[in-house]
Amino acid sequence: QVQLAESGGGLVQAGGSLRLSCAASGRTFSSSRLGWFRQAPGKEREFVAAINWSGGSTYYADSVKGRFTISRDYAKSAVYLQMNSLKPEDTAVYFCAANTMRTWLPTRSNAYDYWGQGTQVTVSS
């Protein structure tokens, strides 16, 4: 099993930066694929970024490419989302997720079997 807990959300002005952290516990973390998703009020949960078990492959939604960076730290059992040049449309609850299954489609929310509780990110214009 993997337990996930996000932190680092908050209120920031447009153009600013935030770094989200997701602390993970569980023996399978090092072999898990990890992702970040977000959900704005009245909208479906959408893919933001993902990273494979080795950290050698990363994936991004077109809307965040070039602005957001996903990374993982094995020593700290954590995954991060560095968010730069934030826009009001980035406002959402951000969730980290882990995939411990044999197959993985990085952009699909149903490809992840563990989820954190989420952290609110609000970008003011």
Side-chain angles (χ1 to χ4, degrees), residues 2-20:
V2 178
Q3 293 80 43
L4 304 170
E6 304 94 337
S7 61
L11 174 64
V12 64
Q13 287 188 333
S17 298
L18 280 175
R19 187 193 194 205
L20 303 184

Side-chain angles (χ1 to χ4, degrees), residues 1 28 42 57-58 62 64-65 76 85 87 99 101 104 107 109 116:
Q1 278 200 346
T28 58
S57 296
T58 56
D62 287 344
V64 306
K65 204 170 291 185
K76 296 182 179 180
S85 302
K87 304 175 181 180
N99 164 286
M101 298 179 283
W104 181 48
T107 65
S109 60

Side-chain angles (χ1 to χ4, degrees), residues 5-75:
E6 304 94 337
S7 61
L11 174 64
V12 64
Q13 287 188 333
S17 298
L18 280 175
R19 187 193 194 205
L20 303 184
S21 300
C22 178
S25 59
R27 293 184 294 176
T28 58
F29 172 79
S30 62
S31 60
S32 298
R33 298 97 159 197
L34 302 166
W36 286 97
F37 288 75
R38 66 186 182 187
Q39 188 166 18
K43 295 187 177 181
E44 293 188 353
R45 190 170 297 188
E46 65 173 1
F47 169 74
V48 176
I51 189 167
N52 73 340
W53 70 271
S54 70
S57 296
T58 56
Y59 309 84
Y60 295 96
D62 287 344
S63 59
V64 306
K65 204 170 291 185
R67 298 189 298 123
F68 291 12
T69 304
I70 187 171
S71 61
R72 65 189 296 169
D73 185 328
Y74 294 93

